[in-house]
Structures are given as C-alpha cells and as structure tokens.
Amino acid sequence: MRSCLIFKRSGQLAVLILSLLAYGTLLLSRPIVPENFLPDKLILMSWDWRLSNILLFSLTLVFALLLINALLAERQSREQLEIAHQQLEIINQQLCQYALRIEDQATLQERNRIAREIHDGLGHTLAAQTIQINNTLLFWQSNNDKALTFLKQAKELGAEALLEIRRSLSVLRSNPLQGQSLKLSIEKLLTDFQQTTGIEPSCKIDLPHTLPTEVNTALFRIVQESLTNICKHAQATSVTVKLLAHAGMIHLSIEDNGKGFNPIQNTTGFGLQGMRERSVALGGQLNLHSQLGTGCCISVSLPLSKLLVF
C-alpha cells in the first residue's frame, strides 16, 4: 500500500514481485513439520498446500495493487475536478469582468455613434437653415419675394431638422439614404447644397460593386459633413466630389476652392473627428490637405476587399 503511494507503476510491480519472492522463499524453505517424520503422501499434500498458498498470496497482492490504484485514481480525479471547478470559477469571474468592460466599451461606442449621427445629420440641416434665415434677413427690406422664398426654405429645413431629431431618438437606425443608391443620394445632396448655398458642385461617381448599407451610410455622412464645413467656413464658389474604385480601394475626395486653413491648428473639430472615426471603423484612413488661399481637400481611402464582406 505504501509503495502505491510512493512509486509509479514499475516500482509498484517491483515491490509486488519482491514481496512474492520473499513470501515464497520463506514458505518453501521453512517447512512447518520436518519431512523425516511425514509419509510420502503427506509430503505431497504439504507441497500442494505451499504452492496454493503462494498462488493465493500472489492473487491477493495483485488484487490489492489494482484496488489501491483504483482508489488513488479516483482520489486524483476528484482533486482534478475540484481544481478544474476552481479554475472555472476564476474564469467565470474574469469573463464577467470582461463582459462588463465590453459592455462599457460598447456603450461608449454607441454614444459616439449617436453623437456623430446627430452632428452629421441634424448639424447639416440646421446649418443650411441658418443660411436661409440669414438670406431672409438680407433681402427682407430690398426684395420681399426673394426673402419669402428663403423663409419658406428655412421652414422646410426646420421640419426636416425635427424629423432628424425623431430619427436620432429612435436609436438612429434609420437609413439616411432612404432606400436610394449611394450615387443618387450624393447627387441629391449636392443639388440641395447648390440650391441652399449657391456653390457650384461637380460630381464623379464610379462604383462597380454594390456596397453594404453601413458603408454607404458612412460615405454619405462623410460627404454631408464635408459640405457642411464648406458651407460654414470655406467661402468657396465650387466643390468637387469624386467617389471611385481603383486597385482594390475605394477613394473618396471632396475638394473646394475656398480660402483654406492651417490643418495643424484646425483639426480638432467634432465633425472632422467623426469623419476619421467612420473611416477607421471601415478599415481605412482619412487625410486632409489644405493651405491658406488654396482651398481644402478631404480624401478617404477604404480597402474594397474588407468592405465587400463587411
């Protein structure tokens, strides 16, 4: 029994064989009664008894060895189960902590997404409405009919802004493209932009592949926010939007001929940050090129291979 606790299987067998040899040697070399006083028949019976005793002893040793090893294996299994149970409890606690972290991260990402949606959608509409109200005030004294036209457009933009708020409050799952293709949506956006601001737009879109809804929405929002910034700050007379697929990439560029600015000092706005976040979320990158007096160009590059399985 002690050998089963101390040695492995080979050591246990060695102890068993030594015990059997010791017992058999002792039993065979030390007869209970001297053979000189026994008849031949009793001598044969004595040898049979010795051999049977040795066989019984060997079977007892083998049975004890197997039984003890079985008990030890059961005890080890219980210990391993207890260890595994403790490890599972630790892993379960870690998973709960990770789940909380992921939930917090998901909440933060959702808040940022909602903020981007409100800024890109509602901000664009309110900026256009502000321009129409300013035009109304500008022509109020000199041209009442034109001022009234601007005022009606501002009213329509106010209704659109209210609708955008309702969409934002409904978890912002609505599609800003409203079932249209990305090309038609951008063209309509540029048409409305020209009617609102008087800035002449040009557009070139060539997409041979059908993109997922999330990608179309992100590209549309980037164009929309870029036009809003041009309307607010650029003092431009023309803007060019290009959306092309080339060499396994999708390239989007929005370029104006406005007054430009210093990118080092003016790249912390929430709109630009939102455009960068949208680009990074699709595995791409956003670059901004501008100088004072030379306009501004925003370019976005997205890997087409990732977008098709998005």
Side-chain angles (χ1 to χ4, degrees):
M1 292 174 62
R2 187 175 297 275
S3 68
C4 292
L5 297 173
I6 298 176
F7 304 113
K8 295 182 179 180
R9 184 59 57 87
S10 59
Q12 296 173 10
L13 292 176
V15 172
L16 185 145
I17 294 173
L18 290 175
S19 300
L20 183 60
L21 290 176
Y23 181 78
T25 302
L26 178 64
L27 189 62
L28 294 176
S29 61
R30 298 289 300 273
I32 298 176
V33 180
E35 295 182 358
N36 297 330
F37 299 96
L38 292 177
D40 294 338
K41 187 175 181 180
L42 292 178
I43 291 175
L44 292 175
M45 293 178 61
S46 174
W47 280 104
D48 292 339
W49 175 82
R50 294 170 189 173
L51 295 176
S52 61
N53 202 350
I54 292 173
L55 179 61
L56 178 62
F57 182 74
S58 62
L59 293 176
T60 304
L61 287 180
V62 172
F63 175 77
L65 179 64
L66 295 177
L67 178 62
I68 294 172
N69 282 324
L71 295 176
L72 290 176
E74 183 181 359
R75 189 178 71 174
Q76 291 177 356
S77 298
R78 290 180 180 178
E79 292 177 351
Q80 291 177 354
L81 287 176
E82 291 178 357
I83 295 174
H85 181 69
Q86 294 175 357
Q87 292 177 348
L88 286 176
E89 289 183 350
I90 295 174
I91 293 174
N92 186 38
Q93 293 176 358
Q94 293 177 348
L95 288 177
C96 291
Q97 294 176 356
Y98 293 153
L100 292 176
R101 293 178 183 176
I102 293 174
E103 182 179 358
D104 293 339
Q105 185 68 21
T107 302
L108 180 60
Q109 291 178 353
E110 183 66 11
R111 288 175 179 174
N112 291 335
R113 188 186 70 84
I114 292 175
R116 289 196 302 266
E117 291 291 336
I118 293 176
H119 180 273
D120 296 346
L122 184 60
H124 174 80
T125 305
L126 293 179
Q129 185 186 41
T130 301
I131 293 175
Q132 297 300 332
I133 293 175
N134 290 334
N135 291 334
T136 301
L137 295 175
L138 182 63
F139 292 98
W140 183 257
Q141 298 294 336
S142 59
N143 191 336
N144 290 337
D145 293 337
K146 198 169 185 179
L148 182 60
T149 301
F150 287 133
L151 186 60
K152 290 180 179 179
Q153 292 179 355
K155 180 181 178 182
E156 293 176 357
L157 289 171
E160 185 179 347
L162 181 60
L163 180 60
E164 188 69 29
I165 291 176
R166 291 175 178 173
R167 290 174 180 173
S168 300
L169 293 178
S170 62
V171 203
L172 301 172
R173 293 299 182 185
S174 59
N175 183 4
L177 278 66
Q178 298 179 352
Q180 295 181 338
S181 66
L182 179 60
K183 181 178 180 180
L184 293 178
S185 299
I186 292 178
E187 290 176 349
K188 182 179 182 302
L189 181 64
L190 291 174
T191 301
D192 296 340
F193 176 76
Q194 182 181 11
Q195 293 176 354
T196 303
T197 64
I199 299 175
E200 185 70 23
S202 64
C203 179
K204 183 179 180 180
I205 299 177
D206 184 12
L207 291 177
H209 302 280
T210 301
L211 301 177
T213 303
E214 294 82 357
V215 180
N216 290 333
T217 301
L219 293 173
F220 177 83
R221 290 302 193 190
I222 291 174
V223 174
Q224 188 180 51
E225 175 58 24
S226 299
L227 295 178
T228 300
N229 290 338
I230 293 173
C231 176
K232 289 180 179 179
H233 311 293
Q235 298 179 7
T237 58
S238 66
V239 59
T240 301
V241 176
K242 295 181 179 179
L243 181 57
L244 307 173
H246 177 69
M249 300 288 292
I250 289 182
H251 301 281
L252 169 65
S253 65
I254 306 99
E255 185 174 1
D256 65 79
N257 64 346
K259 63 180 183 179
F261 62 95
N262 186 354
I264 299 178
Q265 298 177 354
N266 298 277
T267 57
T268 58
F270 187 83
L272 186 59
Q273 179 183 353
M275 288 190 287
R276 281 202 178 97
E277 290 177 353
R278 291 182 187 277
S279 302
V280 172
L282 297 177
Q285 60 180 0
L286 181 143
N287 296 313
L288 187 148
H289 305 281
S290 180
Q291 292 181 357
L292 292 175
T294 61
C296 175
C297 178
I298 293 177
S299 60
V300 177
S301 299
L302 305 176
L304 187 59
S305 58
K306 293 183 179 179
L307 301 181
L308 295 179
V309 294
F310 188 81

